[in-house]
Amino acid sequence: MRFERQRPIFGEEGQQRIMTAVVGIVGCGGLGVNVITQLTMAGVTHFILCDHQTPELSNLNRQFIYSPYDHRTKSMISAEWILALNPSAEVQANSEPLSEINGGLFQGCDILVDCLDNFESRMVLSDLAESMGVPLVHAGVSGMEGQIAVCIPGKTKSLREMIGTMKDPEGPVPSVGAAVSAIASMEALEVLKIISGLGTDNAGKLITVDMKGWTTETVEF
C-alpha cells in the first residue's frame, strides 16, 4: 500500500528494482538531504553515503535534518535519518571526503549521485563513474539557477567532458532552501527513472533551470 500511488508509473517490476538498487550519494548537504529523503520515501533501501563535514548554522536554511548542536558528520546523521524513515534500510555511511584513492567505498553501487558543492570533487566522481561503468546523475544550485545532467558511461559524454571547464565561485554560494529542494527533486526523479528501468530522455544533456522565470535551456552533448 505504501507505494500504491507510484506503481502505475514504475510498474511492479520497476518498484522492485527501486527497492533492490544500491545508490551511492556523494554529499549530504542541501541537495543530498533532499535527494536522500525523496529516494527513501520512494522505496530505495540500499544506500552508500559519503560526507565528512559536520553541520553549521548557515546550513540550516536548506538542510532540514540537521542541528548545529550535533557534531557528528553529515553522512552519519543522514544514515540515521534514512533509518528513521525506513528501519529496514541498509546504509553505509562514510565520514571521509571522496578522493582518487578511496573510490572503492562505492563498490557495488548501481548508480552514483552528485550532491557535491565543488567542481574538483565532481571531477573525481565523474572519473569514478566512468571507471565503474555506472550512471551518474549530477545537480548543482547557485541562487535561483540550477542544473541537472545525466551521464551514462559508454553512451554519453562524461560529467568531466560536460562541465570540466567550470570553476567554483569565490566566496559562499547564495542559497535558498526552496530552490535547492526544487533541483534536488529533479535529480531524485532522474535517479528513480534510471534504477526503475523506466529510463530517461535526458541522458547526455545538461539542463539549466532559471527559477526566477521558470525557463530551461538544454545543451546536448
Side-chain angles (χ1 to χ4, degrees), residues 22 48 92 102-110 112 128 132:
V22 181
I48 298 178
Q92 176 183 320
N102 66 2
L105 295 172
F106 293 94
Q107 184 176 2
C109 284
D110 298 301
L112 296 174
L128 177 61
M132 291 176 60

Side-chain angles (χ1 to χ4, degrees), residues 50 94-107 124 128:
C50 182
N94 301 291
S95 298
E96 55 186 292
L98 179 67
S99 69
E100 292 87 349
I101 62 174
N102 66 2
L105 295 172
F106 293 94
Q107 184 176 2
V124 173
L128 177 61

Side-chain angles (χ1 to χ4, degrees), residues 16-128:
Q16 289 300 313
R17 289 180 176 178
I18 289 171
M19 296 171 70
T20 57
V22 181
V23 178
I25 298 178
V26 188
C28 299
L31 288 168
V33 297
N34 280 277
V35 169
I36 287 166
T37 302
Q38 292 290 341
L39 294 182
T40 303
M41 291 192 301
V44 174
T45 308
H46 307 282
F47 291 91
I48 298 178
L49 310 179
C50 182
D51 198 314
H52 67 290
Q53 296 181 337
T54 56
E56 299 177 359
L57 188 61
S58 63
N59 298 158
L60 303 188
N61 75 321
R62 61 199 184 279
Q63 300 177 27
F64 51 86
I65 70 173
Y66 301 131
S67 161
Y69 308 108
D70 191 335
H71 301 298
R72 293 176 297 166
T73 61
K74 292 181 179 179
S75 60
M76 296 293 292
I77 302 169
S78 294
E80 186 177 86
W81 173 253
I82 291 170
L83 292 170
L85 295 172
N86 181 5
S88 64
E90 297 178 0
V91 190
Q92 176 183 320
N94 301 291
S95 298
E96 55 186 292
L98 179 67
S99 69
E100 292 87 349
I101 62 174
N102 66 2
L105 295 172
F106 293 94
Q107 184 176 2
C109 284
D110 298 301
I111 192 167
L112 296 174
V113 190
D114 169 16
C115 297
L116 289 157
D117 59 2
N118 67 88
F119 284 102
E120 181 179 357
S121 296
R122 283 178 170 135
M123 295 305 98
V124 173
L125 184 57
S126 173
D127 295 343
L128 177 61

